[in-house]
């Protein structure tokens, strides 16, 4: 066996159905009592449920969390947080809300409990992506990691079918890159395969049976495992491309991940045969070909395959390629502008991924 290093993230995880009722107990466990609540404008109803659970101890509420964590939104929330007298942060929602919670926590040192309602996985990573003047940058710091994650399956039961699919593929992307990360290890490989297997088996069921409690539970379990992978190892070209496209062209996060993933995988495929073999084993109908398995999964999920449908212009392809090759993340295959531009063009056009980049 090859030598490896493994660091576990020290977060506490509470998983189940109806676990939102345990939030007061989790706050008391760390001796905080004045939480500041976060959500997006679309998830104010979740805040109301949380208020009912917490009672009159809530110190303040901010419901303007925004995609890609714009610095100006964080600064507005920070001002309200500081004036509220809060001693903790509770975020409820998807990656946008979790990201805002992370941004506030790292700036204040306050305890952060998060209740994810999608499969994004951000809640179990020490990574924060922020957008400032149209450029998205990421940083990693153990202090960014939320201290407690409360997974309540009930909050995913009404997740729209489209977002269920793209959010789930976003989670799979974390596991895919973990399989060929520079600092991957046997533990993360096991988590990655199990996470992909759980999501790839449950997501197609949820397209036709969105209220399946068993499939929802399996998907949330898979998302936790995949997010844990991303939180433990480095990112490569897939995440670099998605951060570039999302931050620079304001494209929706999970949809962009879904479109780019098979193309990023095909770019790296020649250099990562072991990772491709492991991924193929976790994807149904792959017949030993991970790219084929991923293409088939996306067909089953009936997701959008082209960035142009998300609003990206063809004239943006060259700019995106320039940003992507500038200050690149480590990648198993050297970053070459020509093939990267073609990767982005195929993703823009909505073509199926093929391993000839």
């Amino acid at each position: 066996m090859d030598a490896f290093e493994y660091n576990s993230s020290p977060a506490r995880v509470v998983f189940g159905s109806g676990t939102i009722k345990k939030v007061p107990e989790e706050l008391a466990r760390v001796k905080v009592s004045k939480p500041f609540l976060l959500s997006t404008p679309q998830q104010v109803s979740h805040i109301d449920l949380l208020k009912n659970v917490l009672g009159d101890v809530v110190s303040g509420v901010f419901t303007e969390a925004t995609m890609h964590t714009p610095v100006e939104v964080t600064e507005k929330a920070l001002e309200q947080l500081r004036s509220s007298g809060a001693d903790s942060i509770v975020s409820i929602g998807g990656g946008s809300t979790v990201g805002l919670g992370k941004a506030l926590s790292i700036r204040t040192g306050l305890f952060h409990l998060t209740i994810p309602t999608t499969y994004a996985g951000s809640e179990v990573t020490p990574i924060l992506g922020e957008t400032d003047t149209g450029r998205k940058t990421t940083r990693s710091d153990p202090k960014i990691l939320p201290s407690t994650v409360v997974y309540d399956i009930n909050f995913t039961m009404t997740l729209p079918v489209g977002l269920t699919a793209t959010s789930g593929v976003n989670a799979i992307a974390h596991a895919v890159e973990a399989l060929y990360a520079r600092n991957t290890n046997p533990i993360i490989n096991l988590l990655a395969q199990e996470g992909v297997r759980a999501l790839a088996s449950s997501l197609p069921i949820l397209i036709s049976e969105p209220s399946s409690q068993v499939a929802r539970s399996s998907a949330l379990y898979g998302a936790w495992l995949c997010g844990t992978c991303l939180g433990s190892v480095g990112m490569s070209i897939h995440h670099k491309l998605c951060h570039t496209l999302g931050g620079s062209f304001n494209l929706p996060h999970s949809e962009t991940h879904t479109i780019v993933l098979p193309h990023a995988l095909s770019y790296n495929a020649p250099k990562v045969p072991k990772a491709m073999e492991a991924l193929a084993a976790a994807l149904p109908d792959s017949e030993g070909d991970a790219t084929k398995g991923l293409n088939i999964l996306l067909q089953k999920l009936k997701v959008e395959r082209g960035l142009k449908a998300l609003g990206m212009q063809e004239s943006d392809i060259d700019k995106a390629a320039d940003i992507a090759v500038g200050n690149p993340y480590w990648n198993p295959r050297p970053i070459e502008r020509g093939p990267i531009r073609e990767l982005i063009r195929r993703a823009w056009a909505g073509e199926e991924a093929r391993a000839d980049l």
Side-chain angles (χ1 to χ4, degrees):
M1 179 176 287
D2 295 334
F4 66 89
E5 296 179 4
Y6 171 66
N7 294 308
S8 62
S9 299
R12 174 174 168 81
V13 171
V14 179
F15 189 101
S17 179
T19 48
I20 190 175
K21 295 175 183 177
K22 295 187 177 182
V23 171
E25 176 185 332
E26 291 301 314
L27 295 177
R29 204 174 153 272
V30 293
K31 298 179 173 58
V32 294
S33 59
K34 294 179 287 183
F36 187 83
L37 311 186
L38 304 174
S39 80
T40 62
Q42 295 78 25
Q43 294 179 309
V44 173
S45 61
H46 291 346
I47 290 287
D48 293 337
L49 287 171
L50 201 48
K51 282 181 175 179
N52 289 337
V53 170
L54 289 167
D56 58 5
V57 302
V58 175
S59 68
V61 173
F62 185 84
T63 59
E64 299 173 42
T66 305
M67 185 172 63
H68 304 306
T69 320
V71 170
E72 61 269 23
V73 174
T74 299
E75 290 174 347
K76 182 178 180 181
L78 184 61
E79 183 178 351
Q80 293 185 25
L81 171 62
R82 284 177 169 156
S83 64
S84 73
D87 62 4
S88 53
I89 298 163
V90 175
S91 59
I92 183 165
S96 299
T97 308
V98 177
L100 177 58
K102 288 177 168 183
L104 294 173
S105 179
I106 193 65
R107 285 166 168 80
T108 61
L110 293 181
F111 172 85
H112 179 197
L113 180 150
T114 186
I115 307 161
T117 60
T118 69
Y119 306 131
S122 174
E123 66 277 359
V124 284
T125 77
I127 301 162
L128 172 61
E130 298 181 282
T131 304
D132 192 6
T133 61
R135 184 65 64 97
K136 188 167 187 176
T137 58
T138 62
R139 55 177 163 145
S140 181
D141 187 320
K143 295 177 182 176
I144 290 172
L145 182 74
S147 299
T148 299
V149 184
V150 175
Y151 287 107
D152 190 333
I153 297 158
N154 294 351
F155 281 105
T156 67
M157 296 301 294
T158 56
L159 195 63
V161 167
L163 184 54
T164 292
T166 58
S167 184
V169 177
N170 181 17
I172 288 173
H174 304 331
V176 169
E177 293 232 298
L179 285 169
Y180 55 66
R182 176 168 46 180
N183 55 343
T184 194
N185 59 72
I187 302 299
I188 290 302
N189 285 346
L190 289 170
L191 295 180
Q193 285 185 277
E194 174 69 2
V196 171
R197 193 174 291 113
L199 281 159
S201 63
S202 59
L203 291 176
I205 295 172
L206 291 171
I207 299 305
S208 57
E209 301 176 50
S211 60
S212 168
Q213 182 95 8
V214 173
R216 287 289 181 190
S217 180
S218 178
L220 194 57
Y221 164 71
W224 165 46
L225 295 180
C226 291
T228 299
C229 292
L230 179 65
S232 302
V233 296
M235 296 179 287
S236 297
I237 187 59
H238 169 78
H239 283 84
K240 175 65 176 182
L241 287 170
C242 291
H243 293 158
T244 294
L245 294 164
S248 299
F249 306 106
N250 200 35
L251 301 183
H253 185 80
S254 65
E255 291 89 337
T256 301
H257 273 273
T258 299
I259 292 169
V260 170
L261 179 59
H263 299 285
L265 180 66
S266 69
Y267 180 87
N268 279 331
K271 297 294 185 181
V272 292
K274 288 184 179 179
M276 294 296 286
E277 182 181 347
L279 182 59
L283 287 169
D285 306 314
S286 66
E287 298 179 345
D289 182 342
T291 301
K292 176 183 177 181
L294 197 51
N295 277 327
I296 289 173
L297 176 62
L298 297 187
Q299 288 169 9
K300 289 179 181 177
L301 300 182
K302 303 174 184 177
V303 292
E304 177 56 57
R305 300 295 299 270
L307 295 172
K308 62 181 177 182
L310 305 184
M312 183 178 176
Q313 303 300 309
E314 188 172 10
S315 57
D316 292 330
I317 293 173
D318 279 306
K319 179 182 177 182
D322 289 339
I323 298 172
V325 300
N327 192 28
Y329 301 164
W330 177 89
N331 195 64
R333 174 180 169 181
I335 302 300
E336 306 166 69
R337 191 188 184 282
I340 290 296
R341 187 198 184 280
E342 175 60 12
L343 186 166
I344 296 170
R345 188 204 64 77
R346 291 179 184 181
W348 175 83
E351 297 176 9
E352 276 211 343
R354 53 188 191 273
D356 60 355
L357 284 167

